[in-house]
Each structure stands twice: as C-alpha cells, then as structure tokens.
Amino acid sequence: MKNYTAPKGQEILVAEDSPIQRLADLKGKKLAFDKGSSAHYVLVRSQAKVGLDFSGIEPVYLTQSKALPRSRHLGSLHSYSCPLQI
C-alpha cells in the first residue's frame, strides 16, 4: 500500500469545547467507534481502568470511513474512538 500510514496508538476525540475531560466523563454518553476494532478494545479497557462498565455508554458503531468525516463535527455524538495517525 503506497500511501498507508500505520497507526501510532489510539485516541478518543471530543469536541474542543466539550465538558468531557476525563474517561469517567464518558459515562452515559454516545461514543462512535468501529465494532470489533482496536479502538473498540482500547475503549473497553480504558473504561475498565477507571471503574466503568461498557454498558455505561451508548455505543454508535461506525466504520472509520463513515466516522472520520464526522469527527470534526461530532453533532449528536459525544466522542469518537479511533487509531491515532501521526
């Protein structure tokens, strides 16, 4: 793949003016991610580290190709979990 850039980690994106500042703030929020992806795994593990259960969020399953164009303008979504590209 000529133009492929391997991910350098994972990130959870929120709007710049979002009140979400910590992982615990995700409780009860809508989070978009690709089901079964590394972002999904990282989100589940991150929540467990701060004592939250996956059932405490409202998952919105979107592929990267559908979610990335929306990530700058999250709209009704509160967060998007995705691979970090540097």
Side-chain angles (χ1 to χ4, degrees):
M1 289 187 205
K2 187 177 180 179
N3 294 322
Y4 177 75
T5 302
K8 307 297 184 198
Q10 298 288 326
E11 61 186 342
I12 299 174
L13 303 174
V14 297
E16 190 172 276
D17 59 348
S18 173
I20 299 170
Q21 298 296 310
R22 303 171 305 138
L23 288 169
D25 297 337
L26 295 173
K27 186 176 182 178
K29 305 293 189 222
K30 288 184 184 179
L31 281 82
F33 51 90
D34 196 353
K35 187 175 185 176
S37 67
S38 58
H40 185 172
Y41 173 77
V42 167
L43 181 60
V44 170
R45 296 280 299 174
S46 298
Q47 286 188 292
K49 280 190 170 189
V50 295
L52 296 176
D53 186 65
F54 186 71
S55 65
I57 64 157
E58 186 177 337
V60 178
Y61 300 116
L62 294 174
T63 62
Q64 281 188 15
S65 62
K66 291 183 179 179
L68 284 175
R70 295 175 58 181
S71 64
R72 291 195 188 273
H73 307 286
L74 293 171
S76 64
L77 298 173
H78 296 106
S79 171
Y80 173 60
S81 180
C82 63
L84 174 63
Q85 303 285 338
I86 297 178

